[in-house]
Amino acid sequence: MYNAKYIIPGIIFFLALIFVPVAYNMGKNFEVKPELPKDQKDCIEDAQTMRDKHMQILNEWRNEAVRDGNRIYVNAKGQKFVKSLTNTCMSCHADKAKFCDRCHDTVGVAPYCWDCHNLTPNQTSPIPLAATSEAGGH
């Protein structure tokens, strides 16, 4: 092999560089315990579904509410909810920093939900539903 004295160490260095993050995070537990609402026992779906699929649910809500005008979500138990991040989800999970940010920061994601659904710095709970329905918002 031509230039083997350079190629083999280069390959070893490259492989070591690739596996450093894997080795660094091996054995670490990334399970995060967000602060759950004290007065609510049930969410729109069961806890495991919400852990696994909350972004898919929110994306479906956005598409169905904005594009199709369908603003009512019916869960597996037949209960109905308004499709609204701000007024449905944030009515129970009012402190974004203790619930949403705690998980998203741990796993290193920056969802774009807050580009539109932004709570002001002094606001810990969402806009009241009556105020949004009068203004035609969500």
Side-chain angles (χ1 to χ4, degrees), residues 31-85:
E31 185 176 348
V32 179
K33 297 288 184 184
E35 187 173 297
L36 299 173
K38 291 167 183 43
D39 58 337
Q40 293 288 328
K41 297 292 180 207
D42 294 323
C43 197
I44 62 161
E45 294 290 350
D46 64 274
Q48 191 60 44
T49 300
M50 295 310 296
R51 274 188 217 105
D52 295 343
K53 298 183 179 182
H54 70 278
M55 278 308 300
Q56 290 91 340
I57 291 170
L58 290 172
N59 282 331
E60 288 173 12
W61 279 17
R62 180 200 59 211
N63 292 341
E64 292 170 2
V66 173
R67 296 177 183 163
D68 303 332
N70 178 2
R71 295 191 173 269
I72 302 298
Y73 175 75
V74 181
N75 70 5
K77 296 178 184 176
Q79 299 168 312
K80 294 181 180 180
F81 298 91
V82 176
K83 293 179 182 177
S84 172
L85 171 67

Side-chain angles (χ1 to χ4, degrees), residues 32-35 54 90 93-111 113-114 117-119:
V32 179
K33 297 288 184 184
E35 187 173 297
H54 70 278
M90 298 303 290
H93 306 290
D95 194 339
K96 179 180 169 282
K98 291 181 180 178
F99 191 75
C100 305
D101 294 345
R102 191 172 284 178
C103 290
H104 294 149
D105 292 346
T106 301
V107 297
V109 296
C113 307
W114 308 111
H117 299 274
N118 196 7
L119 299 174

Side-chain angles (χ1 to χ4, degrees), residues 22-30:
V22 174
Y24 178 76
N25 290 316
M26 196 170 289
K28 288 188 178 180
N29 185 1
F30 282 107

